[in-house]
Amino acid sequence: MHGLSPLIITGMHRSGTSLTASFLQTLGVNVGDRLYAADRANQKGYFEDVDFLEFQRQVLQASCNPNEPGWPDWGWTESEQLNKENFANYTQAAQALIATRANSQTLWGWKDPRTSLMLDFWHDLLPQARYLLVYRFPWDVADSILRLNEPIFQEHPDYAIRTWRFYNQQLLDFYTRHRDACLLVSVNGFLKDPSRLVKLVQNRFSLALNASNPLDSQNSEHAIADIYDEKLFGSLDWEHPLVKLVSQVAPECTSLLEELDRAADLPNSLPFQGIEESILASVLRLQQITTQSKTQPKTAKLPSGIQCATLTSTEDVNSDAGVVMSMTNNEQLASDRPAMERSPELQALLASPPKLHKDRMGNLVSYQACEEVLDFIDRHVTKDSRTLETGAGISTILFAIEGSEHTCIAPGQGQFDRIRQYCADRQISTDRIDFQCHSSEHVLPQLNTLPLDLVLIDGCHGFPIPFIDWFYATSHLKKDGILIVDDTQLWTGMVLKEYLLSEPEWELVQDINPRAVIFRKLQATIPTKEWDRQPYVQLAESLFQQKILMEERFAREEIQINQELHRLQNEIEAIKTSKFWKLREAWFAVKRSLKLSD
């Protein structure tokens, strides 16, 4: 491959793009003749073509808002409003830059993390280009950035993780649109199996790397051993405080990491399943798996009003609709029709979703539970089901289509009227729907209903309403009944999900990360417990106490520092009042009066 068909290597800064580029250089890829020099921050070298680096740095800095805080050198400011329309002003300069390399008779390319933000720009100019997109754990990137001791990141440490999210979202979006031209690679997965990267590049891109001396798996391992130094590039221990901190304060990053891993050609190899959740949830999940593996396997089933068939397997089963996973790894929920075989009614509903809600400006808009949740309801709810939801919308119409005996609780009469009108226009009966036009926290404590087969929590998401909805609604849920919690990407939904993952009375059925989660209730009646009998609360309390101890330690250190400063100030004052200091001041006064030079 030569001419206008480069291999472009990019990814978030400090994500292993230099390591990847140096590896590919050993395989015969010409990443440039004039490379950015190695320094303290990258002792093995950056492997960045200076001309491409300086060009992209200029474009990104000119395309950021100049009056906004951030790090324009990396094309990131706080609003994340990068003016990509401005890129067009640099097309001619980019073409001239390409011309200097286009006649190369060897496989050529370049590496620069900034390319992550200019992928569409280069794709328009180089439609035959191939892209190697590299990502790394967010906590490892944040750790590496903070160790650079750049003042901007010392003052705003959150910039490191926010920039990671911004860059990697750009990678994932581009990869999704141009999968045939890309390889999405975890640097951790690459280090574990470098020969697999070679095969992926050769097969996906039809490239003969180092064709005169093709590398087998053993030679690939030797090549990476020559350039990789684990002291300079590694991963934080799973229990490192920064890992926990990133997962707690930036769950959207762990969710994005999970999306990258699901899409990647060479994903991470993680110590736990469930990395898409916070570290707290992962620990609890591991505890629950360990506990349940010691108990008698349960029979997978749903209540009589919910359709299902039972499979027995020793492995998780990946369906087209998502991973439906039992915590004990020995049972599997399945439906009576394939996951992707949606009913015509649901297909029509999703093809043209009605505008049932009002936004804050009063405009009618269409909000809905995620499609996997609607798929689940479509496959499992029947006219024999007894169901309840907090909130209203497309899911309400779907319950009407399925014909279940349904209770819908929401405070908006206008929303109910629009649902009724939509159904009436399409001859969908709403006779079996009990519309409760009140806030759920007022309705649920007084609700008198027969045992429920399924509960959907999708009403108000403000604290503490989802917890109130769960507490009262699931008190009516029968044994083996189904609980669906929507919008788990929000803090309240995430906390409810993590709590239920730790409780032995609830079994995970399907994790639709990051949007929703589905549980099965294993007991008809669940007693209220004290905090020390709730693993989630116990672990959260432990973290809270650690935080208090750290704050107390910092407070003591601050007192000690202030005491030391006060002591030094007293010493300075003592010196200034000494005879020597007075003589010194008198001497300088004489010098000034006589205008003597030093």
Side-chain angles (χ1 to χ4, degrees):
M1 178 179 175
H2 59 84
L4 297 179
S5 300
L7 178 60
I8 301 171
I9 305 149
T10 192
M12 170 61 187
H13 300 263
R14 318 304 297 176
S15 289
T17 54
S18 299
L19 177 63
T20 306
S22 66
F23 177 71
L24 290 174
Q25 186 185 58
T26 66
L27 305 188
V29 180
N30 178 10
V31 295
D33 298 323
R34 195 165 68 97
L35 301 180
Y36 194 79
D39 58 19
R40 176 187 60 83
N42 213 336
Q43 298 178 27
K44 292 277 189 174
Y46 289 86
F47 296 87
E48 294 176 358
D49 186 300
V50 172
D51 294 329
F52 279 94
L53 166 64
E54 293 300 335
F55 171 74
Q56 294 190 125
R57 172 177 280 161
Q58 177 187 3
V59 174
L60 292 181
Q61 289 181 348
S63 302
C64 286
N65 186 341
N67 301 316
E68 191 172 64
W71 193 234
D73 184 71
W74 289 2
W76 184 88
T77 55
E78 289 192 348
S79 71
E80 300 187 349
Q81 298 299 312
L82 184 64
N83 182 12
K84 293 189 177 183
E85 293 181 359
N86 185 53
F87 293 0
N89 296 325
Y90 296 87
T91 299
Q92 188 174 354
Q95 291 171 333
L97 186 57
I98 291 169
T100 65
R101 304 284 302 281
N103 293 324
S104 173
Q105 297 303 307
T106 60
L107 177 59
W108 70 280
W110 75 84
K111 169 261 170 179
D112 180 14
R114 295 168 184 82
T115 307
S116 301
L117 306 185
M118 299 181 64
L119 287 166
D120 288 313
F121 173 79
W122 289 114
H123 188 68
D124 289 340
L125 296 177
L126 296 164
Q128 300 303 315
R130 298 293 181 261
Y131 302 87
L132 185 58
L133 310 177
V134 182
Y135 67 98
R136 187 185 184 190
F137 292 146
W139 41 83
D140 288 337
V141 171
D143 176 61
S144 182
I145 290 175
L146 294 176
R147 284 190 284 107
L148 295 175
N149 293 320
E150 287 283 351
I152 187 68
F153 292 109
Q154 295 296 314
E155 185 178 354
H156 302 282
D158 60 306
Y159 281 7
I161 200 66
R162 291 169 68 182
T163 311
W164 180 93
R165 185 199 59 76
F166 183 61
Y167 264 69
N168 282 283
Q169 189 64 61
Q170 304 281 327
L171 291 188
L172 184 58
D173 290 346
F174 184 81
Y175 177 80
T176 302
R177 289 182 281 113
H178 302 287
R179 192 179 298 265
D180 291 343
C182 300
L183 282 173
L184 182 60
V185 172
S186 156
V187 71
N188 300 79
F190 155 55
L191 288 172
K192 184 177 180 181
D193 189 1
S195 64
R196 187 177 171 193
L197 176 60
V198 174
K199 293 175 183 176
L200 285 168
V201 172
Q202 290 172 334
N203 296 335
R204 175 71 60 84
F205 299 155
S206 300
L207 300 180
L209 296 175
N210 204 1
S212 61
N213 183 26
L215 292 179
D216 57 23
S217 59
Q218 184 175 3
N219 287 333
S220 297
E221 292 174 2
H222 289 162
I224 196 66
D226 290 340
I227 60 177
Y228 174 58
D229 184 347
E230 63 180 355
K231 295 179 181 179
L232 300 178
F233 188 92
S235 279
L236 298 177
D237 184 84
W238 191 253
E239 294 301 319
H240 191 282
L242 186 57
V243 179
K244 297 182 179 180
L245 179 63
V246 169
S247 297
Q248 289 292 327
V249 304
E252 69 280 2
C253 289
T254 47
S255 294
L256 178 55
L257 175 63
E258 194 271 342
E259 289 187 64
L260 289 164
D261 275 337
R262 272 204 301 244
D265 302 283
L266 183 53
N268 283 302
S269 177
L270 298 174
F272 298 143
Q273 270 187 314
I275 186 61
E276 68 273 12
E277 301 151 357
S278 74
I279 297 303
L280 186 60
S282 297
V283 172
L284 294 169
R285 180 193 289 277
L286 185 64
Q287 290 175 347
Q288 187 176 11
I289 291 172
T290 303
T291 301
Q292 292 190 356
S293 65
K294 299 176 182 178
T295 64
Q296 183 73 18
K298 298 179 288 295
T299 301
K301 62 180 180 178
L302 286 174
S304 57
I306 304 291
Q307 289 186 340
C308 84
T310 302
L311 300 177
T312 302
S313 174
T314 57
E315 298 180 355
D316 297 336
V317 178
N318 290 319
S319 71
D320 291 334
V323 179
V324 182
M325 182 176 63
S326 165
M327 292 302 296
T328 57
N329 256 8
N330 58 24
E331 62 193 32
Q332 193 64 46
L333 180 68
S335 71
D336 61 339
R337 63 175 182 263
M340 290 305 291
E341 187 182 326
R342 287 176 179 161
S343 67
E345 293 83 1
L346 178 56
Q347 290 182 31
L349 195 58
L350 293 176
S352 182
K355 296 181 178 180
L356 304 172
H357 302 80
K358 285 188 176 181
D359 62 17
R360 294 183 179 179
M361 302 299 293
N363 301 312
L364 286 176
V365 294
S366 179
Y367 297 139
Q368 67 178 58
C370 66
E371 291 190 9
E372 291 89 344
V373 165
L374 298 176
D375 281 332
F376 186 94
I377 294 170
D378 183 42
R379 295 196 307 274
H380 299 298
V381 172
T382 73
K383 61 181 179 58
D384 297 320
S385 305
R386 190 174 292 115
T387 56
L388 177 146
E389 69 176 323
T390 57
I394 288 177
S395 55
T396 313
I397 297 173
L398 184 57
F399 282 115
I401 291 171
E402 306 298 345
S404 66
E405 184 180 334
H406 185 63
T407 301
C408 180
I409 307 171
Q413 184 60 52
Q415 194 173 348
F416 285 166
D417 292 340
R418 288 186 287 275
I419 291 172
R420 285 193 179 98
Q421 186 62 53
Y422 178 91
C423 291
D425 292 343
R426 290 158 181 78
Q427 290 79 51
I428 302 171
S429 174
T430 58
D431 292 345
R432 302 196 73 196
I433 298 182
D434 178 15
F435 290 98
Q436 292 281 339
C437 187
H438 301 283
S439 297
S440 57
E441 67 269 25
H442 299 302
V443 174
L444 286 170
Q446 305 175 47
L447 186 67
N448 184 15
T449 182
L450 294 172
L452 299 169
D453 298 301
L454 182 146
V455 168
L456 170 60
I457 304 295
D458 193 20
C460 174
H461 299 97
F463 181 89
I465 305 305
F467 311 110
I468 293 174
D469 290 355
W470 163 77
F471 182 81
Y472 284 105
T474 59
S475 68
H476 300 288
L477 192 61
K478 65 173 63 171
K479 182 178 181 295
D480 293 314
I482 293 297
L483 167 67
I484 303 175
V485 181
D486 198 39
D487 289 310
T488 51
Q489 78 277 11
L490 300 177
W491 181 84
T492 47
M494 179 190 69
V495 170
L496 180 55
K497 167 186 170 179
E498 292 181 352
Y499 170 76
L500 293 173
L501 282 170
S502 73
E503 290 298 290
E505 297 88 357
W506 294 94
E507 181 181 53
L508 181 67
V509 172
Q510 186 173 354
D511 191 352
I512 309 166
N513 186 71
R515 283 290 309 277
V517 67
I518 303 174
F519 288 97
R520 178 187 291 111
K521 185 183 180 185
L522 300 180
Q523 292 180 198
T525 302
I526 300 176
T528 302
K529 306 174 186 177
E530 261 294 354
W531 73 272
D532 57 357
R533 294 186 58 204
Q534 297 172 323
Y536 178 85
V537 181
Q538 284 183 294
L539 188 52
E541 171 66 13
S542 174
L543 294 174
F544 178 68
Q545 292 301 327
Q546 291 178 29
K547 177 185 176 184
I548 291 177
L549 291 174
M550 290 179 65
E551 290 176 346
E552 289 176 347
R553 189 189 74 187
F554 292 151
R556 288 194 300 270
E557 291 176 352
E558 184 178 9
I559 291 172
Q560 292 173 355
I561 291 171
N562 288 334
Q563 288 174 341
E564 181 66 15
L565 287 174
H566 183 68
R567 185 186 66 79
L568 292 173
Q569 288 172 348
N570 288 338
E571 289 184 2
I572 291 172
E573 290 299 322
I575 291 172
K576 288 183 177 181
T577 57
S578 67
K579 292 182 179 179
F580 168 77
W581 193 268
K582 291 178 180 178
L583 288 172
R584 177 179 178 277
E585 290 297 316
W587 167 244
F588 280 116
V590 170
K591 287 180 66 178
R592 286 193 294 271
S593 64
L594 298 177
K595 297 182 179 180
L596 296 176
S597 63
D598 293 335

